[in-house]
Amino acid sequence: MAESPHLLHRLYEIQQKHRYIPDESIGEVADQFGLPISQVRAVVDFYAFFYTSPRGDYHILFSNCTSCGYQARGVDLLQLLSQQLGVSVNQTRADGRVSVHETSCIGLCDHGASLLINGIPLVRLDPAGIWQMVGLIESGKPLTEWPQAWFHIDNTLHKRGLLLETDLSPGEGLQALLARGWEEILAEIVQSKLRGRGGAGFNTGLKWRLCKEAVAEARYVVCNADEGEPGTFKDRMLLQQYADTLFEGMTICAHIIGAREGYVYLRGEYRYLLPHLQTILARRRQTSLLGKSILAKTGFDFDIEIVVGAGAYICGEESALIESLEGKPGIPRSRPPFPVTQGYLGQPTVVNNVETFIAAAHIAYKGGAWFSSVGTVESAGSKLLSISGDCAAPGIYEYPFGVTLQQILQDCGADNVQAVQVGGPSGILIDQSAFHRRIGFEDVSTGGSLMVFSDQRDVLDIIYQFAAFFAHESCGFCTPCRVGTTLLKQNLYKIVTNQGTRYDMAELQHTSELVRRYSHCGLGHTAANPILDGLQSFPQFFERRLIQRDFSPHFNLDAALEEARRMTQRDDVDAHLEQDIE
């Protein structure tokens, strides 16, 4: 399938040329795509990786994730770099050489403090490396002349299981499909009890059957490779090492549902993987595993295009992803209808994530019974986990469903653990009393992230980071999420800075419940999870920072008049407010 121009890709090209998207380019792009200028402008404004003011020749995005953030050896690397370069954080230096910004998790939590520089990941940062970076930037050295060890990404795969212990050769799943027919292979998918690995756990065979049965002019297969949940990086490894099997699973799905076109929606932080993925797609076309008449089967026509996102966590939600594929801001749709009946371009669409399609390819070749023989009654098969934080061996582990958290912590070398965040900030925060619980849809469900926090961590600081993440990533569509997540962040900040009272604790609980109940989509429904879990399981971290009052204002009224006092050159008693709130 010849790559068609996509709005996100065209905007990226313009930005690469100018280091931002000039206002006049928006009208040109609108004309090129036959879109209203307002839509193109809305897209530019929506995505975090599109800029309307110039960035530097060296554009640095520091990850502020709790696992791969900018703290190393007690040093704030972000502040160190910005100070030495003479540029404020979230600014471009006057000479245009460098810009330094923060960004959410970039999927390198097993590699220590990390950043993206001109879209390329740089890992295992430390103070000495920062000093060396400063010299290279000031001397204008191209990235090709920087120490290449800085850019080396290991796939720290510590434990293989059902899916990863044996490789599937390219074409083996497709040959089984053609030999047995799509009806039998779909029956195997159903028998396997495979559920979506993105966290929601919808039955995969049922999803494919519903899409197949929907009356439509066309059908589509979409792979959600937008793993933006902080602490999650398993798809990065799968895309690097098992992309052939991913594309095989998508192709099997296409034949079953009758689709001719497929898309991989790749998160913007993984753009550096694009050449690798394109190479594998080209090889599959050359070997008759993609394109027209796949494996000489007349009428079996299917190809895959990769669309790269531009920095929007919300696009991990399947309907927001589809909106983005259609060249719009990634705002989640109201459901029903669901994508299986009305998805991409209004047509029936299967959306599954990377791990799910890989599992489906193995099932097509090895059978449903092989898969369902592992795991639990409600959770068949295995689960890949991205493990990071305070442990000796961060990385990727594959376990059969039903494994306990305690076993996982033992395997990754985690000692003196006081808390585990399962499923990223949108998941659940678990204390020591629940380490006996098991990974599975019937107990502790997860899309694949497990962040470990030792007893040296302040849990409240972690919860505040999560609250700041959701306030930043809210798409702004609905008031409960847009306003509520900001209120939660502000209220938490008041407590974190030792200005909160029990009244603020009660307000935090109340606002969290409102955001969870009334938000439009899953982001809002889960944004308050870390706060609610923290209040229930770790109340001591909140209480020890409270001041002993029933109420404390969010700001100091007298301090707010300081500018007026300076302007009037007054500092007498009458120029101050008396505040007695005891």
Side-chain angles (χ1 to χ4, degrees):
M1 179 169 66
E3 294 287 331
S4 59
H6 192 279
L7 177 61
L8 296 183
H9 294 176
R10 179 63 185 130
L11 291 171
Y12 175 78
E13 291 171 1
I14 292 170
Q15 184 163 277
Q16 287 295 96
K17 179 179 180 181
H18 300 284
R19 291 186 290 131
Y20 75 113
I21 299 174
D23 194 62
E24 58 270 19
S25 296
I26 292 177
E28 296 171 3
V29 171
D31 289 340
Q32 177 184 351
F33 285 85
L35 298 172
I37 290 178
S38 59
Q39 180 176 334
V40 179
R41 192 177 302 279
V43 168
V44 172
D45 291 341
F46 182 84
Y47 294 93
F49 289 174
F50 288 148
Y51 315 119
T52 55
S53 59
R55 295 309 190 252
D57 296 327
Y58 297 92
H59 179 45
I60 296 170
L61 289 171
F62 255 101
S63 170
N64 59 18
C65 175
T66 55
S67 292
C68 54
Y70 41 73
Q71 297 287 337
R73 300 178 185 174
V75 177
D76 186 322
L77 301 180
L78 174 61
Q79 290 298 328
L80 176 63
L81 180 63
S82 62
Q83 288 170 4
Q84 296 307 312
L85 289 172
V87 57
S88 299
V89 177
N90 297 325
Q91 297 292 327
T92 300
R93 204 166 71 179
D95 63 1
R97 169 158 289 184
V98 63
S99 51
V100 180
H101 290 249
E102 291 185 71
T103 190
S104 300
C105 180
I106 58 176
L108 292 163
C109 306
D110 52 342
H111 284 71
S114 304
L115 57 79
L116 295 174
I117 181 164
N118 296 349
I120 301 172
L122 196 155
V123 297
R124 302 181 190 88
L125 296 167
D126 58 21
I130 293 295
W131 282 98
Q132 192 173 353
M133 279 182 62
V134 171
L136 293 167
I137 290 171
E138 296 294 17
S139 62
K141 291 287 186 182
L143 297 182
T144 53
E145 297 181 20
W146 288 31
Q148 292 307 293
W150 289 358
F151 304 102
H152 179 70
I153 298 175
D154 296 310
N155 284 316
T156 48
L157 179 55
H158 294 292
K159 183 176 177 60
R160 299 175 188 268
L162 189 68
L163 295 182
L164 305 184
E165 63 187 357
T166 58
D167 290 334
L168 189 67
S169 298
E172 285 185 325
L174 287 173
Q175 289 167 355
L177 172 70
L178 295 181
R180 299 180 60 186
W182 70 263
E183 295 95 338
E184 284 195 30
I185 297 301
L186 179 57
E188 295 286 356
I189 300 291
V190 171
Q191 180 190 1
S192 74
K193 301 180 183 178
L194 172 65
R195 297 170 66 168
R197 270 22 186 183
F202 192 82
N203 184 283
T204 302
L206 176 59
K207 176 183 284 191
W208 292 15
R209 186 181 297 281
L210 289 172
C211 189
K212 173 71 175 179
E213 293 173 351
V215 178
E217 298 175 358
R219 295 177 182 82
Y220 297 95
V221 178
V222 175
C223 174
N224 183 346
D226 191 56
E227 63 167 0
E229 195 73 48
T232 309
F233 48 90
K234 65 183 179 61
D235 286 359
R236 185 201 76 216
M237 180 275 297
L238 293 175
L239 290 166
Q240 288 177 309
Q241 293 191 2
Y242 298 91
D244 245 321
T245 309
L246 161 64
F247 298 143
E248 188 112 342
M250 292 178 66
T251 309
I252 290 167
C253 176
H255 189 58
I256 289 173
I257 69 171
R260 291 176 175 265
E261 296 178 27
Y263 296 89
V264 174
Y265 188 92
L266 182 69
R267 70 182 304 218
E269 292 85 348
Y270 290 171
R271 180 179 289 276
Y272 62 92
L273 295 176
L274 186 58
H276 161 71
L277 296 175
Q278 296 286 25
T279 297
I280 294 176
L281 286 175
R283 186 172 67 228
R284 291 184 70 86
R285 294 182 188 112
Q286 293 168 0
T287 55
S288 192
L289 300 178
L290 273 180
K292 290 191 175 295
S293 301
I294 292 173
L295 291 179
K297 173 69 173 178
T298 302
F300 187 4
D301 305 332
F302 177 71
D303 213 331
I304 296 170
E305 182 178 342
I306 299 174
V307 174
V308 185
Y313 166 77
I314 191 62
C315 287
E317 195 274 341
E318 64 178 8
S319 68
L321 184 155
I322 291 171
E323 289 285 295
S324 187
L325 276 180
E326 293 180 355
K328 306 171 189 173
I331 297 174
R333 298 174 176 177
S334 296
R335 298 184 295 178
F338 294 93
V340 287
T341 57
Q342 191 172 323
Y344 180 62
L345 302 180
Q347 302 299 316
T349 304
V350 164
V351 183
N352 283 125
N353 76 346
V354 175
E355 186 180 349
T356 309
F357 279 122
I358 288 175
H362 280 275
I363 293 166
Y365 181 66
K366 300 173 184 175
W370 161 82
F371 190 81
S372 62
S373 66
V374 172
T376 69
V377 174
E378 297 295 326
S379 307
S382 63
K383 186 76 194 79
L384 271 68
L385 298 176
S386 312
I387 300 177
S388 64
D390 302 325
C391 59
I396 298 160
Y397 294 72
E398 184 183 8
Y399 287 99
F401 274 118
V403 64
T404 64
L405 290 172
Q406 189 62 60
Q407 181 64 57
I408 295 169
L409 293 173
Q410 179 180 326
D411 291 347
C412 70
D415 298 321
N416 303 314
V417 180
Q418 69 172 327
V420 175
Q421 182 72 35
V422 182
S426 66
I428 57 175
L429 182 63
I430 294 177
D431 66 8
Q432 292 175 326
S433 67
F435 288 174
H436 65 280
R437 295 180 64 182
R438 299 177 181 275
I439 298 296
F441 294 106
E442 65 270 44
D443 191 358
V444 180
S445 180
T446 175
S449 166
L450 196 149
M451 305 169 84
V452 182
F453 303 118
S454 75
D455 57 12
Q456 299 302 304
R457 297 270 199 142
D458 190 316
V459 174
L460 186 57
D461 288 339
I462 294 166
I463 293 172
Y464 176 74
Q465 278 189 282
F466 291 162
F469 168 78
F470 284 118
H472 178 266
E473 294 295 340
S474 173
C475 74
F477 173 77
C478 71
T479 302
C481 182
R482 181 182 67 250
V483 177
T485 54
T486 299
L487 289 175
L488 291 175
K489 175 187 172 183
Q490 292 173 344
N491 207 344
L492 266 177
Y493 181 76
K494 190 177 177 185
I495 297 173
V496 167
T497 55
N498 302 296
Q499 301 175 67
T501 66
R502 294 200 176 278
Y503 169 83
D504 298 300
M505 290 270 284
E507 279 298 293
L508 201 58
Q509 178 88 32
H510 179 62
T511 305
S512 294
E513 291 168 353
L514 290 176
V515 172
R516 171 183 280 183
R517 181 175 181 181
Y518 293 108
S519 291
H520 173 66
C521 77
L523 186 152
H525 296 159
T526 59
N529 283 1
I531 296 171
L532 293 170
D533 289 343
L535 288 171
Q536 179 178 344
S537 300
F538 300 95
Q540 68 275 19
F541 286 93
F542 294 80
E543 291 170 355
R544 71 190 185 191
R545 299 211 192 182
L546 300 181
I547 58 177
Q548 299 307 307
R549 295 174 178 167
D550 293 329
F551 173 79
S552 176
H554 275 276
F555 63 95
N556 188 311
L557 292 171
D558 186 65
L561 294 174
E562 180 59 32
E563 184 177 358
R565 286 192 289 269
R566 288 198 305 269
M567 293 176 63
T568 58
Q569 297 182 351
R570 287 187 59 183
D571 198 26
D572 55 90
V573 174
D574 291 337
H576 288 265
L577 293 175
E578 288 189 18
Q579 292 185 313
D580 185 4
I581 59 174
E582 296 293 343

